[in-house]
Amino acid sequence: MKFETLLIALGLGSFPLAVAQVVIFTASDQNVISYSIGVPNTTASSGSGPIFLQMKAPSTIQWFALGQGAHMAGANIFVVYSSSSSDKVTISPRLAKSHIEPEYNPDARISLLQGSGIQNGVMTANVRCDTCIQWNGGSLDPGTSSSNWIWSYREGIPLSSNNVTEDIRIHDHFGRVIVDLTKATDLNASNPFLGASLDPSSNDFTAVPPSSSNGPHKSRAILIAHGLVMSFAFVIFFPTFALLIPIPWAVSVSKVHAPLQIFTLTLSTAGMGMGIWLGVDGSQISNAHPIIGLLVVGSLIFLQPLMGFLQHLHFRQTGEKSFFSYSHRWFGRIMIILGVFNGGLGFRLAGFGSPGTPRSAMIAYSVISGVVGLTYLAVHAFTTWRSGKGAELSGARDNREN
């Protein structure tokens, strides 16, 4: 399911009714993601105690989250996703320490209250949090009129997991709001969300839009560009231009093969730059995919041209192959195979079926990789057979001459 817009409701209903800020965006198919925050009177007056959260989203999304803080680093985050039971949800309290995936917080004291679960295609988490006033990395003033909160969600296949440490992929959408918690007090109920109705019209709020450099649309565009550039480089260009050497037609190494491979290496370097940006922006730089990518492209940049150049010099002097020829050839093959494999890890990291990585793209990647790989093997098998036949004919001719 695609959401064109998002509803973030930061509010509260109880008897008497009290509501917090509401940020409203119309959503496609009348589906919304909503968050509600309530602060009991005793917590507001004493500066300690529980607060209440309600989080709602369609059960067709992969996960959604609400966090305390102005940005990801140091935020106290609550991630909600479908449980392995068809009518239950899992809530995972996490701490974000920097540009890495938020880690499960075992010290969080939270409770899922009555009304939590999945009904009529909607995930609901009614939460009592007893560690939201002070946490490792930040604190909340329950009486402030300018409390920072962040939100995010990811589209895709529901996680359906009871594991609170479940690996989550980079968000598709995110944002920030500043909440006036003084509008969320006058609360005495132990579970304020049962039977309550939110009234967004009476709320005071400030929505802080994502910066233009880190907006979800730009992130998705860069993700698609990164995937296309690296796929063309490792699946098509590198192996195809490598085949210019064994084919039975004379091709200049220095004038054709080398420039084309340098072009492809430049292309992959640009793709690596986009990948680094995505890894840092999405807190995934420590994942296996970017690590392998940096290793492969970095090795190709520093070693492959050098080995090819040294073989070229040796060939000009002796007319023969050298150690650098075999090293250049086999190192390139290994890096291409590793790069293609890493592309699959990239699809997994981005999430199969997400808007940035549709299943059709993964299918096309696999099919083209297989076709190019078989073509590569067929060309080498043919040239090997042709060379062997040529050697046999030459030997037979020499015998006749003798």
Side-chain angles (χ1 to χ4, degrees), residues 8 119 143 185:
I8 301 177
Q119 289 186 342
T185 57

Side-chain angles (χ1 to χ4, degrees), residues 238-258:
F238 273 135
T240 301
F241 297 155
L243 286 177
L244 295 175
I245 302 302
I247 60 175
W249 302 282
V251 175
S252 173
V253 172
S254 60
K255 295 180 180 180
V256 180
H257 169 77

Side-chain angles (χ1 to χ4, degrees), residues 72-73 96-102 170-171 174 213-214 219 222 226 272-287 289-291 294 349:
M72 188 171 174
K97 297 181 179 179
S98 186
H99 292 292
I100 57 175
E101 180 182 346
I170 182 175
H171 51 69
F174 66 100
S213 62
N214 296 321
S219 296
I222 293 178
H226 169 74
M272 180 181 66
M274 290 185 281
I276 292 173
W277 187 93
L278 289 167
V280 173
D281 182 66
S283 307
Q284 299 285 354
I285 198 66
S286 60
N287 192 277
H289 172 72
I291 291 175
L294 287 169
L349 178 63

